[in-house]
Amino acid sequence: MLLPPTESPFPGGGPQSRAPLPAFPTAAQRWPWSRAQPEGPDAAAVRPATSFVLIFPVYVLGYLGLSFSWVLIALCGLFWIRRHRGGKSSRLGRALAFLEDEEEAVRLSVSSADLPAWVHFPDTERAEWLNKTVKQMWPFICQFIEKLFRETIEPAVRGANNHLSTFSFTKIDIGHQPLRINGVKVYTENVDKRQIILDLQISFVGNCEIDLEIKRYFCRAGVKSIQIHGTMRVILEPLIGDMPLIGALSLFFLRKPLLEINWTGLTNLLDVPGLNGLSDTIILDIISNYLVLPNRITVPLVSEVQIAQLRFPIPKGVLRIHFIEAQDLEGKDTYLKGIVKGKSDPYGIIRVGNQIFQSKVIKENLNPKWNEVYEALVYEHPGQELEIELFDEDPDKDDFLGRYKTNEPVWEENFTFFVHNPKRQDLEVEVRDEQHQCSLGNFKLPLSQLLESEDLTMHQRFHLSNSGPNSTINMKIALRVLYNLSHCKPLKAYSGLNLIAFSEEGSDPYVRMYLLPDKRRSGRRKTHVSKKTLNPVFDQMFDFSVSLPEVQRRTLDVAVKNSGGFLSKDKGLLGKLLIPLASEELAKGWTQW
């Protein structure tokens, strides 16, 4: 006899009392679509129905003179279907659990610094399908790289210095380990509609074999391995209406990638006249900057494309950099073999793409003031970044003092929002850390406070909630009233219109409007559909965000159309009207038929 888990067959319990029994799933729990049999007094009421269900098939088989084997076949089929569904549900559950726990499994298996970009940034997607494609194409990609070395890099090196006129590659073997793409980000906003922009987080670690020589000086050197880590931008433009749909392919790094090269015979190479002042670091900078903006590799895919405009694009803007000062730097200089701690001789390195600026050196100062100004060309926005690094000048090797991070950022950016009701709407501001994807603080400002401020403007520091006690953000917030085309008043349609009846039951009219010459889908305005009537009343108002001087050059295109049903032949135009807005007094508004 089984007792409830909390009871014991022995008075007072004791060491022989039963522990709680484990709960086993019932048939109804294992098979959600099956019904558990009722228990208690109600069970008797169900038994006749159950008996009828079991006996009726046997009666039918006997009445029709069929074999009882059909019942066995049906039961076996039912059992197989249920088992198949149960296995499928189980596999689906395991798959969903794996997908949900995949990111956590990755986090537990590798360190945070080695995590791929798609873990850190939600707008970066995984690219395993692309990695498989690259692996399949890798032998042919290696052929392209070899062609690039021989036809582009080799002539460029020869022309860079008279002493390198006999430079050549004797062997180029990139290796069998393909390049890996750790994440892909596709830009869909604020880009030209005739181009596709992708940012690829790439990593390449390969045991390659690249041999070079300078015959004039009997000098030979080589490369045994290469590591490259960085963000490569791929631009597919222009998009065309014929195959292959893409006019050209452009490749470049947005900023200098991390590049490590394991040289062989580098000492012999640096003994060549004209190169003896170089170093390993300088050579790496020269190579990496060759791949960084504004330098780019452009591959035309059709003959009609204007390759010069793609390879040498016009800059999108100029960035003016005010390099002012630094505070509380670390003292790197020491005296008496490290016994006496000194100061530093700081200077700054500023990079925008492959444009590099170096500030003057300020001797013996941990709070240097440079007050220098630089101007850099910007070719890609968004994407390019400003990089600043500080170093301590030393006779042998300069010490690193700091860089890509700050607790007092300055953005100086402008944002515009359309406000419909400042008495009820709020402005919410949040400061976030991009790398760790976490919030650093936030605040909410009721816009009704702007209505009470002088000139509808507030310029002050706002305290950030959920942050440090001294965390603030300095903002200037202004509320302004803009003119728009809401003076058109509600558009109404009555029976003086004499609408056409598309069927015996009338028409299903609605009104469509464009503010010409804009005929984009986003610029279209539509009323609701009035069903089966020739005298519709819409009573709706629409806004067009256009300045008052600009609207004087526009024309309002108003059309009354018949909606009809799905796949209906009764769709059509009921009437159309063009209203030149130059002659209307928009400031006063008007109403007319």
Side-chain angles (χ1 to χ4, degrees):
M1 178 178 66
L2 294 179
L3 297 178
T6 56
E7 297 182 6
S8 172
F10 303 96
Q16 298 182 4
S17 61
R18 294 180 182 268
L21 295 176
F24 293 96
T26 64
Q29 292 172 327
R30 291 194 302 269
W31 309 104
W33 50 83
S34 64
R35 297 183 179 272
Q37 293 295 328
E39 299 178 358
D42 294 336
V46 181
R47 287 171 186 168
T50 305
S51 302
F52 176 78
V53 171
L54 294 176
I55 295 174
F56 182 73
V58 179
Y59 171 77
V60 172
L61 290 175
Y63 180 80
L64 298 177
L66 299 177
S67 173
F68 187 74
S69 301
W70 289 103
V71 177
L72 297 178
I73 294 174
L75 290 175
C76 292
L78 179 62
F79 177 76
W80 181 85
I81 291 174
R82 286 190 172 185
R83 185 175 181 179
H84 177 71
R85 287 182 177 177
K88 185 176 181 181
S89 300
S90 177
R91 291 193 299 272
L92 179 61
R94 291 196 300 267
L96 291 176
F98 174 77
L99 290 176
E100 292 176 356
D101 297 339
E102 181 181 13
E103 182 173 330
E104 185 64 23
V106 173
R107 291 183 184 275
L108 294 176
S109 61
V110 297
S111 63
S112 177
D114 297 328
L115 288 175
W118 56 266
V119 176
H120 287 300
F121 306 109
D123 56 351
T124 301
E125 303 175 5
R126 299 185 62 182
E128 289 306 311
W129 66 271
L130 195 53
N131 286 319
K132 294 178 181 178
T133 304
V134 171
K135 184 177 181 180
Q136 186 75 9
M137 297 174 58
W138 186 244
F140 305 96
I141 295 176
C142 291
Q143 294 179 18
F144 168 75
I145 294 176
E146 181 177 357
K147 183 178 179 181
L148 178 67
F149 270 64
R150 296 192 184 280
E151 298 183 2
T152 304
I153 298 179
E154 186 175 292
V157 174
R158 288 180 176 180
N161 192 310
N162 291 331
H163 300 285
L164 300 176
S165 59
T166 57
F167 173 90
S168 64
F169 291 104
T170 58
K171 183 177 182 180
I172 300 175
D173 184 3
I174 306 300
H176 301 290
Q177 186 67 28
L179 174 137
R180 179 164 182 82
I181 300 171
N182 297 322
V184 178
K185 179 178 180 180
V186 182
Y187 290 86
T188 57
E189 298 179 356
N190 300 322
V191 296
D192 192 332
K193 293 184 178 180
R194 296 193 63 194
Q195 66 178 192
I196 298 175
I197 299 180
L198 305 92
D199 283 349
L200 309 181
Q201 307 289 336
I202 69 167
S203 295
F204 174 69
V205 181
N207 293 322
C208 56
E209 189 175 353
I210 302 176
D211 297 331
L212 56 91
E213 69 174 359
I214 304 176
K215 294 182 180 180
R216 181 176 179 180
Y217 298 101
F218 304 98
C219 171
R220 292 187 177 183
V223 175
K224 293 194 300 183
S225 64
I226 296 179
Q227 289 193 46
I228 300 178
H229 306 277
T231 302
M232 173 176 286
R233 173 155 292 186
V234 179
I235 300 182
L236 311 176
E237 68 171 340
L239 300 181
I240 56 180
D242 297 321
M243 296 300 294
L245 301 179
I246 300 170
L249 174 70
S250 297
L251 307 172
F252 53 86
F253 284 96
L254 291 169
R255 50 192 171 276
K256 187 180 76 170
L258 174 62
L259 176 64
E260 294 183 4
I261 298 179
N262 187 5
W263 297 93
T264 59
L266 180 62
T267 303
N268 297 329
L269 181 65
L270 296 180
D271 288 337
V272 175
L275 300 182
N276 48 18
L278 298 178
S279 66
D280 185 11
T281 304
I282 295 176
I283 292 176
L284 292 178
D285 287 341
I286 294 174
I287 295 175
S288 61
N289 287 336
Y290 181 80
L291 305 173
V292 180
L293 274 177
N295 298 317
R296 61 180 68 199
I297 299 173
T298 303
V299 182
L301 302 180
V302 295
S303 58
E304 297 82 6
V305 70
Q306 297 180 356
I307 193 67
Q309 294 182 4
L310 300 177
R311 186 172 292 170
F312 309 106
I314 298 176
K316 295 186 177 180
V318 177
L319 176 66
R320 180 174 290 115
I321 306 163
H322 295 264
F323 193 60
I324 301 176
E325 63 178 348
Q327 296 179 355
D328 301 326
L329 297 180
E330 182 181 359
K332 291 288 187 178
D333 297 336
T334 58
Y335 305 97
L336 299 178
K337 296 184 178 181
I339 298 177
V340 179
K341 190 74 171 179
K343 296 185 178 180
S344 293
D345 306 321
Y347 69 93
I349 298 292
I350 298 96
R351 292 189 182 91
V352 179
N354 72 343
Q355 303 166 86
I356 302 176
F357 308 95
Q358 180 172 333
S359 73
K360 61 186 178 183
V361 179
I362 299 182
K363 297 291 185 179
E364 296 291 325
N365 199 324
L366 299 182
N367 299 284
K369 295 185 178 181
W370 291 280
N371 292 318
E372 298 179 357
V373 179
Y374 312 101
E375 291 183 339
L377 297 176
V378 177
Y379 291 88
E380 288 294 322
H381 178 75
Q384 283 194 272
E385 295 180 353
L386 171 66
E387 303 175 69
I388 300 177
E389 294 181 326
L390 298 184
F391 295 89
D392 168 44
E393 185 184 52
D394 285 326
D396 48 0
K397 184 178 181 181
D398 296 347
D399 297 321
F400 177 72
L401 291 176
R403 64 168 57 89
Y404 302 109
K405 299 179 179 180
T406 177
N407 290 330
E408 296 185 358
V410 178
W411 291 286
E412 294 186 345
E413 294 187 49
N414 179 69
F415 301 95
T416 301
F417 300 93
F418 288 106
V419 178
H420 298 281
N421 192 340
K423 293 183 179 181
R424 297 182 179 179
Q425 291 182 269
D426 300 329
L427 175 67
E428 295 186 13
V429 178
E430 182 181 25
V431 182
R432 298 185 60 85
D433 183 285
E434 181 183 31
Q435 179 177 358
H436 300 94
Q437 289 295 303
C438 62
S439 176
L440 301 178
N442 57 76
F443 83 95
K444 179 185 293 186
L445 176 69
L447 296 183
S448 58
Q449 296 185 16
L450 287 173
L451 299 176
E452 303 171 359
S453 303
E454 183 179 357
D455 197 26
L456 303 179
T457 302
M458 299 178 68
H459 189 182
Q460 65 184 63
R461 287 190 172 273
F462 299 90
H463 181 264
L464 292 175
S465 303
N466 304 316
S467 186
N470 299 321
S471 298
T472 60
I473 183 170
N474 187 10
M475 299 182 65
K476 181 179 181 180
I477 307 173
L479 182 65
R480 295 293 181 263
V481 180
L482 301 178
Y483 289 101
N484 55 45
L485 202 57
S486 62
H487 302 289
C488 289
K489 303 301 181 182
L491 174 66
K492 298 183 179 180
Y494 294 99
S495 59
L497 292 176
N498 296 322
L499 296 183
I500 301 173
F502 267 81
S503 65
E504 296 180 355
E505 298 178 348
S507 297
D508 299 331
Y510 70 93
V511 177
R512 184 271 300 151
M513 290 179 288
Y514 285 109
L515 193 60
L516 301 179
D518 184 8
K519 295 201 68 172
R520 296 176 299 175
R521 188 179 185 86
S522 59
R524 183 176 62 183
R525 305 291 188 270
K526 291 174 58 177
T527 67
H528 63 265
V529 178
S530 293
K531 292 290 186 179
K532 296 179 176 55
T533 178
L534 302 181
N535 304 292
V537 177
F538 301 103
D539 197 12
Q540 290 182 253
M541 182 169 65
F542 302 93
D543 294 335
F544 293 88
S545 298
V546 182
S547 64
L548 193 60
E550 173 67 18
V551 82
Q552 299 289 332
R553 298 188 290 269
R554 299 293 191 96
T555 299
L556 186 64
D557 179 358
V558 182
V560 182
K561 291 189 171 185
N562 184 65
S563 175
F566 182 66
L567 299 179
S568 173
K569 298 181 180 180
D570 294 335
K571 295 182 179 180
L573 184 67
L574 297 174
K576 187 174 182 179
L577 178 65
L578 296 178
I579 306 176
L581 300 180
S583 59
E584 304 294 344
E585 297 184 17
L586 299 181
K588 297 180 180 179
W590 83 97
T591 300
Q592 68 184 44
W593 292 101

